[in-house]
Amino acid sequence: MDSKKRFSDRVDTYVKYRPSYPVEALDYLYDTIGIKQDSVIADIGAGTGIMSELLLARGSKVIAVEPNADMRQAAEKRLSSNPNFRIQPYPAEGTGLDDKSVDAIVCAQSFHWFDQEAARIEFHRVLKPGGKAVLIWNSRLTEGSEFLTEYDQLLHDYGTDYKEVKHTNITIEMFSSFFKEGTLELKEFANRQIFDYEGLRGRLLSSSYSPSPGHPNYEPMMDALQSIFDRTQKEGHVFFDYKTQIFWGEV
């Protein structure tokens, strides 16, 4: 599937059930990486505006860049009333931004969909001298509890192309070739969502590799999800744990 269209049929679940980012991670962007309250930030692959909203709350000016019309519409609905926000319909490889026009670039849960070399050239073009590119993921843990292990196996069993697109396919070597030599830094933070069954179901259906209703894997997947929840829940909830990873440097 075209990566720019993958989430068109699951925007509502994406808005409701995808995780945000820890306060400590946002503090790190401003206190350590050097983003400032008055910085102009390009949120590239902005999706429904989860990261844009957090940056706006810190007072920054945000230019969201998102090629998917349905996700862009969700971001506009969420954030268009903020005068520091604007959004434009371009891909990462051709953002429509002016040369040397932004202080920083943030890609939250999006960089793995980009053409890396084309994005590197584009990011270098639009960043001001010394500006940083920041790549952020909420990387779901696949072990550490019975629930985490069984949920990951469910995705292997029923996901449409989970093995091809899961974030563990991204390696540190890929980042080393993307960033200017000697500038790559990594910081990690813990993150968690707590779900009842309906929340867990919504989180699963927000993933682009989960089969939709009508697909032959859909009903077996949902039966397996219910079984996993029933076996592993504690007081009606399961814990969806992440490692929030921030890779950053100059390009």
Side-chain angles (χ1 to χ4, degrees):
M1 185 187 295
D2 180 353
S3 64
K4 298 176 181 62
K5 300 178 181 177
R6 286 186 72 100
F7 294 95
S8 293
D9 62 347
R10 38 191 106 222
V11 169
D12 290 344
T13 54
Y14 202 102
V15 169
K16 289 179 68 175
Y17 299 111
R18 281 302 179 105
S20 188
Y21 299 89
V23 171
E24 296 84 359
L26 268 292
D27 289 343
Y28 183 78
L29 298 186
Y30 287 82
D31 297 341
T32 300
I33 295 177
I35 295 175
K36 302 185 186 309
Q37 188 175 26
D38 60 351
S39 291
V40 178
I41 305 171
D43 180 5
I44 298 182
T48 61
I50 294 172
M51 177 56 70
S52 290
E53 186 171 36
L54 297 174
L55 297 170
L56 290 166
R58 300 283 176 131
S60 297
K61 295 178 176 63
V62 178
I63 306 168
V65 179
E66 173 53 54
N68 183 292
D70 297 285
M71 299 193 91
R72 196 168 60 248
Q73 183 177 22
E76 288 172 335
K77 181 178 179 180
R78 183 179 199 156
L79 302 171
S80 61
S81 63
N82 191 314
N84 285 332
F85 176 78
R86 80 171 196 259
I87 191 165
Q88 47 198 59
Y90 297 105
E93 302 81 3
T95 62
L97 298 169
D98 293 336
D99 291 355
K100 312 245 181 314
S101 60
V102 299
D103 298 296
I105 287 172
V106 174
C107 307
Q109 215 73 20
S110 59
F111 182 78
H112 53 288
W113 301 117
F114 303 165
D115 179 313
Q116 178 175 314
E117 180 57 19
R120 186 189 65 78
I121 293 168
E122 178 70 355
F123 290 9
H124 181 76
R125 182 184 70 79
V126 304
L127 277 167
K128 295 178 183 178
K132 305 298 191 298
V134 184
L135 316 180
I136 304 176
W137 281 272
N138 279 316
S139 294
R140 177 178 45 80
L141 301 186
T142 59
E143 55 186 24
S145 73
E146 182 183 5
F147 166 72
L148 293 172
T149 301
E150 292 199 21
Y151 183 85
D152 193 64
Q153 186 59 52
L154 175 142
L155 300 180
H156 281 282
D157 292 343
Y158 300 107
T160 54
D161 57 352
Y162 174 59
K163 294 177 184 178
E164 289 73 30
V165 303
K166 65 177 181 175
H167 301 149
T168 51
N169 289 346
I170 299 172
T171 66
I172 191 69
E173 288 77 17
M174 290 172 59
F175 298 127
S176 296
S177 66
F178 181 79
F179 289 100
K180 187 181 295 184
E181 185 175 359
T183 71
L184 174 57
E185 301 279 351
L186 168 63
K187 183 70 174 179
E188 297 180 340
F189 301 89
N191 200 8
R192 167 177 278 185
Q193 291 177 291
I194 301 173
F195 289 127
D196 59 13
Y197 177 73
E198 285 307 310
L200 177 62
R201 179 180 180 277
R203 176 62 181 83
L204 173 60
L205 295 178
S206 76
S207 299
S208 66
Y209 41 72
S210 67
S212 299
H215 189 283
N217 280 4
Y218 177 79
E219 291 297 340
M221 178 184 69
M222 301 315 297
D223 290 342
L225 186 73
Q226 182 73 68
S227 177
I228 291 169
F229 180 84
D230 291 343
R231 288 198 311 277
T232 62
Q233 57 83 24
K234 293 179 172 57
E235 299 182 352
H237 295 89
V238 292
F239 301 99
F240 220 86
D241 289 320
Y242 304 88
K243 179 169 56 178
T244 299
Q245 298 177 291
I246 302 178
F247 298 85
W248 63 281
E250 297 181 30
V251 298

